[in-house]
Amino acid sequence: MGDFKTLTMCDFINYDEAFELKKLGFNEHVFATYRKGEIFKFEDDGPNRNSDIDTWLSGDAICSAPLYSQVFRWFREKHNLAAYVVCYELIEEVGHMYSFEIPIQNCYHNEHFEIYEEAELALLQKLISIIKNK
């Protein structure tokens, strides 16, 4: 990974999804964390930053705030869930729309999003849902 000081908030997944990933066992090296109370903090403190769930629920604890790219790699490597955002050109209008696909699950999402990041978040939420429902 590059210099973490060049990253912005939009490169990181939000708190709700970070906490769900924590519960699913995501515990990789990150450049930022959420502290109890959803406080986002840039900190390159090394791997295994996630506190266990019991510690998290009882007091001041840490939740990894991974990059979207890290999370999608984790789903590919740990859960064999390759997934990606797809861009569709609009034929009758100028512009494009986004959707997502998870081929191994035969998931070809029908909803389209005007903004790439919205499709990316919806894809992340779908991947979390798949793992939670296994």
Side-chain angles (χ1 to χ4, degrees), residues 22 33-39 43 49-64:
K22 172 191 196 61
T33 60
Y34 290 103
R35 301 271 177 177
K36 188 74 172 179
E38 303 179 34
I39 300 167
E43 53 185 345
R49 295 296 298 147
N50 270 329
S51 302
D52 62 52
I53 294 297
D54 291 335
T55 302
W56 179 263
L57 295 174
S58 68
D60 185 30
I62 297 170
C63 179
S64 295

Side-chain angles (χ1 to χ4, degrees), residues 16-127:
D16 293 332
E17 282 68 35
F19 190 66
E20 288 300 318
L21 285 168
K22 172 191 196 61
K23 292 190 281 188
L24 295 176
F26 182 91
N27 200 21
E28 307 290 322
H29 180 105
V30 296
F31 288 130
T33 60
Y34 290 103
R35 301 271 177 177
K36 188 74 172 179
E38 303 179 34
I39 300 167
F40 182 87
K41 183 176 180 185
F42 281 107
E43 53 185 345
D44 185 11
D45 287 343
N48 305 319
R49 295 296 298 147
N50 270 329
S51 302
D52 62 52
I53 294 297
D54 291 335
T55 302
W56 179 263
L57 295 174
S58 68
D60 185 30
I62 297 170
C63 179
S64 295
L67 297 164
Y68 274 92
S69 60
Q70 288 177 286
V71 172
F72 291 133
R73 183 181 314 114
W74 183 76
F75 277 110
R76 281 192 315 271
E77 293 175 357
K78 301 286 185 193
H79 298 284
N80 195 31
L81 286 174
Y84 49 89
V85 173
V86 180
C87 179
Y88 296 97
E89 272 190 68
L90 299 175
I91 296 173
E92 297 178 14
E93 302 172 29
V94 176
H96 45 272
M97 299 292 284
Y98 301 96
S99 189
F100 64 80
E101 298 180 1
I102 310 169
I104 201 163
Q105 293 281 312
N106 291 319
C107 178
Y108 302 96
H109 195 68
N110 293 328
E111 183 180 357
H112 291 86
F113 304 89
E114 292 183 22
I115 300 169
Y116 177 89
E117 289 77 11
E118 290 175 352
E120 193 174 47
L121 177 59
L123 172 56
L124 174 57
Q125 291 168 340
K126 181 64 175 178
L127 290 168

